[in-house]
Coordinates of all heavy atoms in Angstrom, one line a residue:
F1 N -26.3 -39.6 23.4 CA -26.7 -40.8 24.5 C -26.1 -40.2 25.7 O -26.5 -40.7 26.7 CB -26.1 -42.0 24.0 CG -26.8 -42.6 22.7 CD1 -25.9 -43.2 21.8 CD2 -28.0 -42.3 22.3 CE1 -26.5 -43.6 20.4 CE2 -28.6 -42.7 21.2 CZ -27.8 -43.4 20.3
L2 N -24.9 -39.6 25.7 CA -24.2 -39.2 26.9 C -24.7 -37.8 27.6 O -24.1 -37.4 28.4 CB -22.8 -39.1 26.7 CG -22.1 -40.4 26.2 CD1 -20.7 -40.3 26.0 CD2 -22.2 -41.4 27.4
N3 N -25.7 -37.2 26.9 CA -26.1 -36.0 27.2 C -25.1 -34.8 27.3 O -25.1 -34.0 28.2 CB -27.1 -36.0 28.4 CG -28.2 -36.9 28.4 OD1 -29.0 -36.7 27.5 ND2 -28.5 -37.7 29.3
V4 N -24.2 -34.8 26.4 CA -23.2 -33.8 26.3 C -23.7 -32.5 25.9 O -24.8 -32.4 25.0 CB -22.1 -34.3 25.3 CG1 -21.2 -33.2 25.0 CG2 -21.4 -35.5 25.8
R5 N -23.2 -31.4 26.5 CA -23.8 -30.0 26.0 C -23.1 -29.8 24.6 O -21.9 -29.6 24.5 CB -23.3 -28.9 27.0 CG -24.0 -29.1 28.2 CD -23.6 -28.1 29.4 NE -23.6 -26.8 28.9 CZ -22.8 -25.9 29.1 NH1 -21.7 -26.3 29.8 NH2 -22.8 -24.6 28.7
I6 N -23.9 -29.8 23.5 CA -23.3 -30.1 22.2 C -22.7 -28.9 21.7 O -21.7 -28.9 21.0 CB -24.4 -30.7 21.3 CG1 -23.7 -31.2 19.9 CG2 -25.5 -29.7 21.0 CD1 -22.8 -32.3 20.1
V7 N -23.3 -27.6 21.8 CA -22.7 -26.4 21.1 C -21.2 -26.3 21.7 O -20.4 -26.0 20.9 CB -23.6 -25.2 21.3 CG1 -22.9 -24.0 21.0 CG2 -24.9 -25.5 20.5
P8 N -21.1 -26.1 23.1 CA -19.6 -26.0 23.5 C -18.8 -27.3 23.1 O -17.6 -26.9 22.7 CB -19.7 -25.9 25.1 CG -21.2 -25.6 25.4 CD -22.0 -26.2 24.2
A9 N -19.3 -28.4 23.1 CA -18.4 -29.6 22.7 C -18.0 -29.5 21.3 O -16.8 -29.7 21.0 CB -19.2 -30.7 22.9
V10 N -18.9 -29.2 20.3 CA -18.4 -29.1 18.9 C -17.6 -27.9 18.6 O -16.8 -28.0 17.8 CB -19.7 -29.2 17.9 CG1 -20.4 -30.6 18.1 CG2 -20.6 -28.0 18.1
S11 N -17.9 -26.9 19.4 CA -17.0 -25.7 19.2 C -15.6 -26.0 19.6 O -14.6 -25.6 18.9 CB -17.5 -24.5 20.0 OG -18.7 -24.0 19.5
F12 N -15.5 -26.7 20.7 CA -14.2 -27.0 21.3 C -13.4 -28.0 20.3 O -12.2 -27.9 20.0 CB -14.3 -27.6 22.6 CG -13.1 -27.9 23.5 CD1 -12.3 -26.9 23.8 CD2 -12.6 -29.3 23.5 CE1 -11.2 -27.1 24.6 CE2 -11.4 -29.4 24.2 CZ -10.7 -28.5 24.8
I13 N -14.3 -29.1 19.8 CA -13.7 -30.0 18.9 C -13.1 -29.4 17.5 O -12.0 -29.5 17.2 CB -14.6 -31.1 18.6 CG1 -14.9 -32.0 19.7 CG2 -14.3 -31.9 17.3 CD1 -16.0 -33.0 19.6
G14 N -14.0 -28.3 17.1 CA -13.6 -27.6 15.9 C -12.2 -26.8 16.0 O -11.5 -26.7 15.3
T15 N -12.4 -26.1 17.3 CA -11.1 -25.3 17.6 C -9.8 -26.2 17.7 O -8.8 -25.8 17.2 CB -11.3 -24.5 19.0 OG1 -12.5 -23.8 18.7 CG2 -10.2 -23.6 19.3
V16 N -9.9 -27.3 18.4 CA -8.8 -28.1 18.6 C -8.3 -28.5 17.1 O -7.1 -28.5 16.9 CB -9.1 -29.4 19.5 CG1 -8.0 -30.4 19.4 CG2 -9.3 -28.7 20.8
T17 N -9.2 -29.0 16.4 CA -8.8 -29.5 14.9 C -8.3 -28.4 14.2 O -7.4 -28.7 13.4 CB -10.1 -30.1 14.3 OG1 -10.7 -31.2 15.1 CG2 -9.7 -30.8 13.0
F18 N -8.9 -27.2 14.2 CA -8.4 -26.0 13.5 C -7.0 -25.8 13.9 O -6.0 -25.7 12.9 CB -9.1 -24.8 13.9 CG -8.5 -23.5 13.3 CD1 -9.0 -23.1 12.0 CD2 -7.7 -22.8 13.9 CE1 -8.5 -22.1 11.3 CE2 -7.0 -21.7 13.3 CZ -7.6 -21.3 12.0
C19 N -6.6 -25.8 15.1 CA -5.1 -25.6 15.6 C -4.2 -26.7 15.1 O -3.2 -26.5 14.6 CB -5.2 -25.4 17.2 SG -6.1 -24.0 17.6
L20 N -4.7 -28.0 15.4 CA -3.8 -29.1 14.9 C -3.6 -29.2 13.4 O -2.5 -29.5 12.9 CB -4.4 -30.4 15.5 CG -4.2 -30.4 16.9 CD1 -4.9 -31.8 17.5 CD2 -2.7 -30.5 17.4
S21 N -4.7 -28.8 12.6 CA -4.5 -28.9 11.1 C -3.7 -27.9 10.6 O -2.8 -28.1 9.8 CB -5.9 -28.8 10.5 OG -6.9 -29.8 11.0
A22 N -3.9 -26.7 11.1 CA -2.9 -25.5 10.8 C -1.4 -25.9 11.1 O -0.5 -25.6 10.3 CB -3.3 -24.2 11.4
A23 N -1.3 -26.5 12.3 CA 0.1 -26.9 12.7 C 0.6 -28.1 11.8 O 1.8 -28.1 11.5 CB 0.0 -27.2 14.3
G24 N -0.3 -28.9 11.5 CA 0.0 -30.0 10.6 C 0.5 -29.6 9.3 O 1.6 -30.3 8.7
I25 N 0.0 -28.6 8.7 CA 0.4 -28.1 7.4 C 1.9 -27.6 7.6 O 2.8 -27.9 6.8 CB -0.5 -26.8 7.0 CG1 -1.8 -27.3 6.5 CG2 0.2 -26.0 5.8 CD1 -2.0 -28.2 5.3
K26 N 2.1 -26.9 8.7 CA 3.5 -26.3 9.1 C 4.4 -27.5 9.2 O 5.7 -27.4 8.7 CB 3.5 -25.4 10.2 CG 4.9 -24.7 10.5 CD 5.3 -23.8 9.4 CE 6.5 -23.1 9.8 NZ 7.3 -22.4 8.9
A27 N 4.1 -28.4 10.1 CA 4.9 -29.6 10.3 C 5.2 -30.4 9.1 O 6.4 -30.8 9.0 CB 4.2 -30.4 11.5
G28 N 4.2 -30.7 8.3 CA 4.4 -31.3 7.0 C 5.4 -30.6 6.3 O 6.4 -31.4 5.6
N29 N 5.4 -29.3 6.1 CA 6.3 -28.6 5.3 C 7.7 -28.7 5.8 O 8.6 -28.7 5.1 CB 5.7 -27.2 5.2 CG 6.5 -26.5 4.1 OD1 7.4 -25.6 4.4 ND2 6.1 -26.7 2.8
L30 N 7.8 -28.8 7.2 CA 9.1 -28.9 7.8 C 9.6 -30.3 8.0 O 10.9 -30.5 7.6 CB 9.1 -28.4 9.1 CG 8.8 -26.8 9.2 CD1 8.6 -26.4 10.8 CD2 9.9 -26.0 8.6

């Protein structure tokens, strides 16, 4: 509805989530 350029947007969301999830595993372990 907001006419977002979807491919760059979902790539960015996936990358941010990848980084935070990987960091979350480490943080949880610590």
Side-chain angles (χ1 to χ4, degrees):
F1 303 137
L2 299 173
N3 296 315
V4 171
R5 293 180 48 224
I6 193 64
V7 173
V10 298
S11 299
F12 190 70
I13 289 168
T15 302
V16 167
T17 304
F18 174 90
C19 294
L20 288 175
S21 297
I25 293 288
K26 180 69 173 168
N29 194 257
L30 291 175

